[in-house]
Amino acid sequence: MKITVVGLGYIGLPTAILFAKYGNTVAGVDLSPIMTENLNAGHLHIEEPGLAEDLQQALALGNFHASTTPVSADAYIIAVPTPNKYDLYKSCNTAYVESALMSIIPHLKKNDTIIVESTIAPRTMRDIVQPMIENEGFTVGEDIYLAHCPERVLPGNIMHELVHNPRIIGGITTKCTEKAAAVYGAFVEGEIIKAEAGEAELSKLMENTYRDVNIALANELAKISNHLEIDALRVIEMANKHPRVNLHQPGPGVGGHCLAVDPYFVIAAAPEQSPLMQVAREVNNSMPTHVVSQVKALMAEQDGNRVTIFGLTYKGNIDDTRESPAMEIKEMLIESGFDVKTFDPHVASEILTGEEACEDSSLILVLSDHSEFRDIPASYTDKMRHQILFDTKNMVQTVSDDVTYLNYGNLHTRKRVISI
Ligand SMILES: NC(=O)c1ccc[n+]([C@@H]2O[C@H](COP(=O)([O-])OP(=O)(O)OC[C@H]3O[C@@H](n4cnc5c(N)ncnc54)[C@H](O)[C@@H]3O)[C@@H](O)[C@H]2O)c1
């Protein structure tokens, strides 16, 4: 099968390479000539385990070629960004999807399949994509087949998950679903779940919204417990012994390009029907301010002014700081007049060692759950002015006995020392 993949980022490139590896002729399309030339020479612009080897294999087979313009194919896969718009409800910006569609329209012929993998708002396939194709004289479901197939892979494990995850295939018609399912049959070993386009769009968005709302509940519990002087983490641990309860963990806020983005697509599509989701977003967005006010209270008790942030990424063991609450907290602390040092072993631009970042500091603030933060060596904390650590991720397992360890469980006490 000939396949054209438009958008060669974290999702499009691994997808394109897998199709090529499994014997299809794949044209990869992106806007950057340097990136596409580099790919043809075997050089990657993203880090993903296993991808470099598979790219080499696809190039050696002669099955993959990247360029800046689409070529004619049997199936087109669109994996371009869908950020929020800057409007009232931060709705889904489909401009990249629309321009990707415009670029393939001149190549379309009867019987072709178009699959949108980008995360999109509910009804985008019916209200935006289908009319664009039908304006060109095609009848969707009869001579062009349209489907939305959302992506749920975990960065760091993409090459495995693309093959093994269950795959939702949401066609405009049943025939569209069958045609798109046949495309993924090339390599997908996970369950193929056949659906209607709107169901596929909304189910992907609800996966991330479910997590966002549940994290908001945990964050609200952390605030309530702090106010009532009750250990929130013990409450969560005990409540989760109930066989049908799964309270999430509180943190410094919600970031990244999925949880902090996708719920708005649902909210904007149905604002009057989504008060719970809107409040959840507000609760999670309020957490950086909450953390900063706790830091101010803790620092008011000290004579120093230096705060050391451990972790700038939006989740643990990755290098991605996009939409990270840690970056927001850092800026807010600087604006509040603190001397802020940062330590993040996963972010290449962060140059300080743990020892350097902690020197003369009065507080360590853990904002990402990197595994390096599980055991904090005494060499980091020995040279602090005041040895206090506030762990918003409940990540630290061992730290020197001299350090006052605080998390959402004991923040209200401000004096309990970690028992190792
Ligand atoms: N990254 C993830 O973990 C993840 C997970 C699930 C869903 N998604 C969704 O998948 C989609 C793509 O995400 P990503 O992380 O791969 O994005 P990305 O930013 O890594 O890559 C997108 C690529 O598309 C290219 N592009 C933009 N417009 C184009 C056009 N008109 N023609 C050709 N190329 C174009 C960009 O240059 C970029 O290289 C988004 O909708 C995202 O929400 C991403």
Side-chain angles (χ1 to χ4, degrees):
M1 196 184 311
K2 282 189 184 166
I3 298 178
T4 288
V5 178
V6 187
L8 298 177
Y10 284 96
I11 297 299
L13 184 60
T15 304
I17 298 303
L18 270 186
F19 273 114
K21 184 179 160 180
Y22 283 80
N24 300 281
T25 305
V26 179
V29 184
D30 208 289
L31 302 173
S32 155
I34 296 170
M35 182 232 276
T36 50
E37 278 166 29
N38 279 339
L39 285 173
N40 292 329
H43 306 306
L44 288 173
H45 57 284
I46 56 172
E47 248 183 57
E48 185 57 42
L51 182 57
E53 294 80 358
D54 285 357
L55 171 64
Q56 297 305 337
Q57 198 181 336
L59 289 171
L61 289 168
N63 282 352
F64 175 76
H65 184 78
S67 79
T68 53
T69 45
V71 297
S72 180
D74 306 309
Y76 298 84
I77 295 181
I78 294 178
V80 296
T82 43
N84 295 113
K85 275 190 188 163
Y86 295 103
D87 57 14
L88 180 60
Y89 293 110
K90 300 191 183 180
S91 64
C92 176
N93 180 350
T94 53
Y96 297 96
V97 172
E98 290 174 54
S99 81
L101 283 167
M102 291 308 291
S103 73
I104 62 168
I105 278 173
H107 304 278
L108 288 182
K109 57 189 188 313
K110 211 168 162 11
N111 236 1
D112 286 351
T113 303
I114 304 173
I115 295 166
V116 177
E117 285 203 5
S118 301
T119 304
I120 46 178
R123 297 199 58 89
T124 301
M125 292 302 292
R126 278 192 193 280
D127 294 349
I128 296 177
V129 180
Q130 184 175 0
M132 282 181 74
I133 301 305
E134 296 199 327
N135 280 346
E136 301 299 318
F138 295 106
T139 305
V140 168
E142 284 179 24
D143 45 21
I144 291 283
Y145 303 99
L146 289 186
H148 173 54
C149 302
E151 195 47 78
R152 306 123 116 199
V153 285
L154 181 71
N157 197 30
I158 292 181
M159 304 314 284
H160 176 84
E161 293 202 358
L162 276 176
V163 176
H164 297 282
N165 278 0
R167 185 101 224 186
I168 296 173
I169 316 276
I172 294 283
T173 65
T174 312
K175 184 85 190 281
C176 292
T177 306
E178 297 299 336
K179 291 282 282 184
V183 173
Y184 288 103
F187 65 80
V188 172
E189 292 177 22
E191 183 189 0
I192 297 276
I193 304 162
K194 294 178 183 171
E196 185 275 327
E199 293 167 354
E201 292 163 334
L202 194 51
S203 76
K204 158 75 191 175
L205 297 168
M206 286 310 295
E207 289 161 16
N208 286 338
T209 304
Y210 166 86
R211 295 187 56 213
D212 193 53
V213 170
N214 278 284
I215 294 168
L217 185 62
N219 284 334
E220 192 159 278
L221 170 62
K223 290 181 182 177
I224 292 167
S225 300
N226 196 30
H227 175 68
L228 299 177
E229 301 190 359
I230 294 170
D231 184 332
L233 301 178
R234 284 275 291 147
V235 169
I236 292 170
E237 195 186 333
M238 290 185 296
N240 285 348
K241 302 271 185 207
H242 184 294
R244 287 167 295 283
V245 171
N246 178 24
L247 283 172
H248 286 34
Q249 295 295 317
V254 169
H257 44 84
C258 289
L259 298 202
V261 172
D262 296 355
Y264 290 116
F265 295 180
V266 184
I267 291 168
E272 294 194 2
Q273 290 74 24
S274 56
L276 176 65
M277 295 180 194
Q278 293 176 44
V279 173
R281 286 276 67 240
E282 279 170 30
V283 170
N284 288 335
N285 286 341
S286 76
M287 289 312 285
T289 307
H290 178 69
V291 170
V292 169
S293 59
Q294 302 306 318
V295 169
K296 284 181 179 168
L298 291 168
M299 289 298 285
E301 298 163 5
Q302 322 304 329
D303 57 355
N305 189 41
R306 180 167 293 174
V307 174
T308 304
I309 291 177
F310 272 28
L312 291 170
T313 61
Y314 72 87
K315 69 175 183 182
N317 299 328
I318 60 163
D319 65 355
D320 195 343
T321 59
R322 285 184 291 177
E323 318 276 336
S324 170
M327 298 299 280
E328 199 180 335
I329 290 167
K330 175 186 161 191
E331 291 311 315
M332 288 165 82
L333 289 174
I334 292 170
E335 275 168 30
S336 303
F338 291 106
D339 171 17
V340 179
K341 299 285 178 208
T342 52
F343 171 53
D344 194 318
H346 288 266
V347 177
S349 57
E350 288 299 306
I351 48 168
L352 294 185
T353 62
E355 283 87 352
E356 288 165 344
C358 290
E359 190 164 356
D360 202 33
S361 176
S362 295
L363 177 72
I364 294 173
L365 179 63
V366 178
L367 297 177
S368 309
D369 44 356
H370 294 321
S371 32
E372 288 86 347
F373 301 157
R374 202 164 277 140
D375 305 300
I376 308 284
S379 60
Y380 289 10
T381 52
D382 275 354
K383 288 188 186 152
M384 292 177 76
R385 179 182 287 233
H386 298 283
Q387 294 182 317
I388 307 172
L389 189 152
F390 174 24
D391 178 4
T392 66
K393 298 294 289 185
N394 194 23
M395 181 65 197
V396 178
Q397 310 258 306
T398 58
V399 66
S400 158
D401 281 344
D402 298 330
V403 174
T404 303
Y405 174 84
L406 301 166
N407 58 20
Y408 283 125
N410 68 347
L411 187 59
H412 58 274
T413 68
R414 296 200 180 148
K415 55 182 181 294
R416 210 165 86 188
V417 175
I418 189 169
S419 52
I420 297 167

